[in-house]
Amino acid sequence: MNHPPERETIAAIATAIVPQTGSVGIVRLSGSQALEMAQLLFDAPGNQPWKSHRILYGYICDPQTGSTVDEALLMIMKAPRSYTREDVVEFHCHGGIMVVQQVLTLCLEQGARLAQPGEFTLRAFLNGRIDLTQAESISDLVGARSPQAAELALAGIQGKLASPIRQLRKTCVDLLAEIEARIDFEDDLPPLDESYIIRAINQVLDQLTDILATANQGELLRSGLKVTIVGRPNVGKSSLLNAWSQSDRAIVTDLPGTTRDIVETQLVVRGIPIQVLDTAGIRETGDRVEKIGVERSRQATQKADLILFTLDAAAGWTAEDRAIYEQLPPEKTILILNKIDLVGDLPPGLPVDIVAIVKTAAAHKQGIEDLEEAIITAVNGGNLQAANLDIAINQRQTSALTRAKVSLEQVEATIAEQLPLDFWTIDLRGAIQALGEVTGEEVTESVLDQIFSRFCIGK
């Protein structure tokens, strides 16, 4: 991504456009010529003032032909009181595809450039309106798949992650200044209080450890889990999916082989987005179509985070079940003993090396709460408290904070070995660098490219 000068004006469609269903579509402009372009394209009848943070009513017109393109609203936000801290205007048009595309084309014809992915947010970062943690949280909020994930992203936008990281970095900078002052002015200052330095570093390490502990939970809330329901035909896999999702997502019959392709649904369990895949019953078959479904089932199983291996309790532990189970990784397999209402007790011969056994009667919607509890326990030891998380770091932030922690631990080792003060400063600088990467105070262009390329174009 080439970072453009601030005076260059960019344009993009800022809303999702769905054919025949969108009621409003927004085209956004940002840059020094944004307001000038809007005045060329927008006819606001009467004496409506073209002032910042006002909404004008009027018509979007083609300046070449004079024809009206749409009846619309125009929102004006002059620098620095805008999302990018540049002049920003937004055309609020009727939704759909054609109108917003026409308006975007008119903007480009006036000299605007089509925005690159995430470029509006990138400009907000480069212009000092937000830091890098807030930018990443904006992306997380747009892509949030559960209320808890959205709350977590909003906390990041509000600076709840950036604030403690900045304070830790400031502490390290202050310590570095204390040490370097003794190096440069040893004869003019009192001796360095080594115990104070050690206590301060320990406090920073304790806080870093607490922040790093949120990484796994944050990843779960952002990315979710892929859970696959597998088993031989007619054990109740589709009934389980329907009972769990409280819908008729999958066709249920008494005929084996009814499900021939993967049926997918999206659920949220304690704030964790879960993609559930109901697969074709695994068995040897001469049916060409069913054989394709069975192969897809095996592929889905290999990619799953958790596998719900479903048995028919009434039929017991069969040779076919054993053949399927031997292909599954036991460390991520939960055994679902379905149709338990027909027998009551566990059948003999069940494997003992799986994560958990859950009894269900999917046809009667029984055992779903126990299933969800088993999933939470399997992925997080049952300790996930999504609603109580204030912050949760992502993979990039985890990497940087881990390097900061390692650097500070090395400073402690250097002090313990009684090495000269110059050696203390080397790893302390490394910690400061790593902490600065989290908020963007120390960041390379390649990192920015990687982060903002994942944004949608209009954000």
Side-chain angles (χ1 to χ4, degrees):
M1 179 185 294
N2 296 319
H3 302 155
E6 292 182 5
R7 57 187 175 82
E8 189 175 14
T9 300
I10 55 175
I13 298 172
T15 47
I17 303 301
V18 181
Q20 302 177 347
T21 60
S23 59
V24 177
I26 298 175
V27 176
R28 177 180 291 159
L29 285 165
S30 179
S32 59
Q33 294 181 297
L35 187 57
E36 178 184 340
M37 291 177 184
Q39 291 171 330
L40 289 172
L41 300 176
F42 195 79
D43 178 19
N47 296 317
Q48 301 178 68
W50 285 67
K51 294 182 178 180
S52 184
H53 294 78
R54 298 291 293 268
I55 297 177
L56 307 184
Y57 160 78
Y59 301 90
I60 302 172
C61 302
D62 186 334
Q64 298 297 322
T65 65
S67 60
T68 299
V69 174
D70 192 21
E71 180 184 26
L73 299 176
L74 179 71
M75 182 178 294
I76 303 170
M77 292 160 282
K78 293 185 179 180
R81 296 173 58 209
S82 72
Y83 181 69
T84 61
R85 280 195 174 167
E86 302 171 342
D87 286 346
V88 172
V89 296
E90 292 180 351
F91 297 97
H92 290 234
C93 317
H94 288 93
I97 293 178
M98 292 308 301
V99 170
V100 290
Q101 287 286 3
Q102 286 179 289
V103 174
L104 177 61
T105 298
L106 289 177
C107 293
L108 299 180
E109 289 175 350
Q110 304 314 306
R113 175 178 58 76
L114 185 64
Q116 299 174 24
E119 190 169 353
F120 290 96
T121 305
L122 174 61
R123 290 191 175 197
F125 166 71
L126 294 176
N127 292 332
R129 182 182 174 274
I130 58 176
D131 68 23
L132 208 51
T133 66
Q134 292 172 305
E136 289 174 301
S137 295
I138 290 169
S139 179
D140 289 340
L141 184 60
V142 172
R145 296 162 55 194
S146 72
Q148 290 83 352
E151 291 176 9
L152 197 63
L154 186 59
I157 293 173
Q158 294 170 340
K160 290 187 177 181
L161 174 58
S163 179
I165 298 299
R166 284 202 190 95
Q167 185 57 50
L168 294 178
R169 187 172 186 269
K170 181 180 183 301
T171 299
C172 291
V173 170
D174 290 343
L175 293 177
L176 180 63
E178 285 283 333
I179 297 169
E180 289 188 330
R182 272 32 180 221
I183 296 173
D184 296 334
F185 307 103
E186 182 178 5
D187 297 333
D188 301 325
L189 295 173
L192 184 65
D193 187 345
E194 183 176 307
S195 62
Y196 164 75
I197 300 293
I198 294 173
R199 285 196 307 272
I201 291 176
N202 281 331
Q203 290 173 358
V204 173
L205 282 171
D206 288 343
Q207 293 181 62
L208 281 177
T209 300
D210 290 341
I211 295 173
L212 283 166
T214 69
N216 290 338
Q217 295 180 359
E219 186 63 24
L220 276 175
L221 293 177
R222 292 185 186 95
S223 303
L225 291 172
K226 180 175 288 187
V227 176
T228 301
I229 305 174
V230 301
R232 59 186 176 83
N234 217 30
V235 295
K237 299 186 300 299
S238 297
S239 296
L240 180 63
L241 175 66
N242 290 344
W244 194 6
S245 63
Q246 300 182 26
S247 67
D248 293 328
R249 290 286 293 126
I251 299 173
V252 177
T253 73
D254 294 331
L255 299 174
T258 299
T259 301
R260 295 193 169 206
D261 203 352
I262 293 174
V263 179
E264 176 184 336
T265 193
Q266 302 289 336
L267 301 174
V268 176
V269 176
R270 292 198 196 174
I272 302 177
I274 297 183
Q275 178 188 21
V276 186
L277 305 176
D278 174 27
T279 63
I282 298 177
R283 66 172 178 175
E284 295 300 324
T285 176
D287 186 301
R288 184 178 177 184
V289 176
E290 188 178 356
K291 186 177 293 186
I292 295 173
V294 170
E295 180 57 33
R296 290 184 178 180
S297 297
R298 291 193 171 101
Q299 293 174 359
T301 300
Q302 292 173 357
K303 298 177 182 178
D305 298 306
L306 274 179
I307 300 166
L308 306 183
F309 180 37
T310 308
L311 305 182
D312 182 343
W317 180 247
T318 68
E320 291 86 352
D321 294 323
R322 180 178 298 279
I324 296 171
Y325 176 71
E326 289 175 350
Q327 304 174 42
L328 305 178
E331 70 277 2
K332 63 177 186 179
T333 299
I334 296 176
L335 184 65
I336 307 298
L337 198 60
N338 195 33
K339 306 182 185 180
I340 194 66
D341 55 308
L342 301 180
V343 293
D345 295 327
L346 297 178
L350 296 179
V352 296
D353 55 348
I354 56 174
V355 172
I357 296 177
V358 178
K359 302 176 184 179
T360 64
H364 303 290
K365 298 180 172 58
Q366 296 175 7
I368 301 303
E369 291 184 2
D370 293 339
L371 170 60
E372 293 183 347
E373 185 67 33
I375 289 173
I376 294 300
T377 301
V379 299
N380 205 66
N383 296 321
L384 181 66
Q385 300 293 331
N388 298 327
L389 283 178
D390 289 327
I391 60 173
I393 55 177
N394 61 29
Q395 290 181 347
R396 183 194 72 85
Q397 295 159 358
T398 299
S399 175
L401 292 179
T402 300
R403 283 188 281 111
K405 185 171 182 286
V406 170
S407 294
L408 290 174
E409 290 171 343
Q410 186 57 47
V411 174
E412 287 189 320
T414 301
I415 295 174
E417 294 172 10
Q418 295 295 303
L419 294 175
L421 295 182
D422 302 77
F423 289 86
W424 300 20
T425 65
I426 296 173
D427 291 301
L428 194 52
R429 290 180 187 277
I432 293 169
Q433 167 78 23
L435 290 169
E437 289 177 15
V438 176
T439 56
E441 293 164 283
E442 304 273 358
V443 68
T444 64
E445 185 168 332
S446 62
V447 171
L448 294 181
D449 289 347
Q450 183 180 14
I451 292 171
F452 289 98
S453 64
R454 296 193 293 264
F455 280 60
C456 58
I457 288 179
K459 195 60 180 173

